[in-house]
Short mmCIF file of all heavy atoms in Angstrom, two decimals:
data_model
loop_
_atom_site.label_atom_id
_atom_site.label_comp_id
_atom_site.label_asym_id
_atom_site.label_seq_id
_atom_site.Cartn_x
_atom_site.Cartn_y
_atom_site.Cartn_z
N LYS A 27 -33.72 6.99 -12.87
CA LYS A 27 -34.74 6.38 -12.02
C LYS A 27 -34.18 5.99 -10.66
O LYS A 27 -34.88 6.02 -9.66
CB LYS A 27 -35.36 5.17 -12.72
CG LYS A 27 -34.45 4.02 -12.93
CD LYS A 27 -35.15 2.87 -13.65
CE LYS A 27 -34.18 1.71 -13.82
NZ LYS A 27 -34.74 0.60 -14.58
N ILE A 28 -32.89 5.66 -10.61
CA ILE A 28 -32.25 5.35 -9.34
C ILE A 28 -32.09 6.62 -8.50
O ILE A 28 -32.35 6.63 -7.31
CB ILE A 28 -30.89 4.65 -9.54
CG1 ILE A 28 -31.05 3.37 -10.35
CG2 ILE A 28 -30.19 4.41 -8.20
CD1 ILE A 28 -31.86 2.28 -9.70
N LYS A 29 -31.66 7.71 -9.17
CA LYS A 29 -31.57 9.00 -8.46
C LYS A 29 -32.94 9.41 -7.90
O LYS A 29 -33.04 9.84 -6.76
CB LYS A 29 -31.07 10.09 -9.40
CG LYS A 29 -29.59 10.16 -9.50
CD LYS A 29 -29.05 11.49 -10.08
CE LYS A 29 -29.88 12.05 -11.20
NZ LYS A 29 -29.33 13.30 -11.76
N GLU A 30 -33.96 9.26 -8.71
CA GLU A 30 -35.31 9.59 -8.25
C GLU A 30 -35.70 8.75 -7.03
O GLU A 30 -36.26 9.27 -6.06
CB GLU A 30 -36.36 9.35 -9.37
CG GLU A 30 -36.43 10.49 -10.34
CD GLU A 30 -37.57 10.33 -11.33
OE1 GLU A 30 -38.72 10.20 -10.88
OE2 GLU A 30 -37.29 10.29 -12.53
N ALA A 31 -35.40 7.47 -7.07
CA ALA A 31 -35.71 6.58 -5.96
C ALA A 31 -34.97 7.01 -4.68
O ALA A 31 -35.54 7.01 -3.60
CB ALA A 31 -35.38 5.14 -6.32
N ILE A 32 -33.69 7.31 -4.84
CA ILE A 32 -32.89 7.73 -3.68
C ILE A 32 -33.47 9.00 -3.05
O ILE A 32 -33.70 9.08 -1.84
CB ILE A 32 -31.42 7.96 -4.10
CG1 ILE A 32 -30.73 6.62 -4.41
CG2 ILE A 32 -30.66 8.75 -3.04
CD1 ILE A 32 -29.40 6.76 -5.10
N PHE A 33 -33.76 9.99 -3.88
CA PHE A 33 -34.24 11.25 -3.33
C PHE A 33 -35.69 11.21 -2.91
O PHE A 33 -36.13 12.03 -2.12
CB PHE A 33 -33.93 12.40 -4.30
CG PHE A 33 -32.47 12.76 -4.26
CD1 PHE A 33 -31.58 12.21 -5.16
CD2 PHE A 33 -32.00 13.61 -3.28
CE1 PHE A 33 -30.22 12.51 -5.11
CE2 PHE A 33 -30.65 13.91 -3.19
CZ PHE A 33 -29.76 13.38 -4.13
N SER A 34 -36.46 10.23 -3.38
CA SER A 34 -37.83 10.08 -2.86
C SER A 34 -37.78 9.53 -1.45
O SER A 34 -38.65 9.84 -0.62
CB SER A 34 -38.66 9.16 -3.77
OG SER A 34 -38.27 7.83 -3.66
N VAL A 35 -36.75 8.74 -1.11
CA VAL A 35 -36.58 8.28 0.26
C VAL A 35 -36.07 9.41 1.15
O VAL A 35 -36.57 9.63 2.27
CB VAL A 35 -35.62 7.06 0.32
CG1 VAL A 35 -35.22 6.72 1.77
CG2 VAL A 35 -36.25 5.85 -0.35
N ILE A 36 -35.10 10.16 0.68
CA ILE A 36 -34.59 11.30 1.46
C ILE A 36 -35.68 12.34 1.63
O ILE A 36 -35.80 12.97 2.66
CB ILE A 36 -33.36 11.94 0.78
CG1 ILE A 36 -32.19 10.94 0.79
CG2 ILE A 36 -32.97 13.26 1.44
CD1 ILE A 36 -30.99 11.38 -0.04
N PHE A 37 -36.47 12.54 0.61
CA PHE A 37 -37.59 13.48 0.52
C PHE A 37 -37.13 14.93 0.56
O PHE A 37 -37.20 15.61 -0.43
CB PHE A 37 -38.65 13.20 1.58
CG PHE A 37 -39.88 14.05 1.43
CD1 PHE A 37 -40.65 13.95 0.28
CD2 PHE A 37 -40.24 14.97 2.38
CE1 PHE A 37 -41.78 14.73 0.12
CE2 PHE A 37 -41.35 15.78 2.23
CZ PHE A 37 -42.11 15.66 1.09
N GLN A 38 -36.61 15.37 1.69
CA GLN A 38 -36.19 16.76 1.77
C GLN A 38 -34.80 16.81 2.43
O GLN A 38 -34.58 16.24 3.49
CB GLN A 38 -37.17 17.57 2.60
CG GLN A 38 -36.93 19.04 2.54
CD GLN A 38 -38.09 19.80 3.20
OE1 GLN A 38 -39.08 19.23 3.64
NE2 GLN A 38 -37.96 21.09 3.24
N VAL A 39 -33.89 17.47 1.76
CA VAL A 39 -32.53 17.61 2.27
C VAL A 39 -32.57 18.54 3.48
O VAL A 39 -33.22 19.58 3.47
CB VAL A 39 -31.60 18.14 1.18
CG1 VAL A 39 -30.23 18.52 1.72
CG2 VAL A 39 -31.42 17.11 0.06
#
Side-chain angles (χ1 to χ4, degrees):
K27 66 181 180 183
I28 302 296
K29 275 197 321 182
E30 278 187 58
I32 290 168
F33 284 94
S34 72
V35 169
I36 294 171
F37 186 63
Q38 190 170 358
V39 170

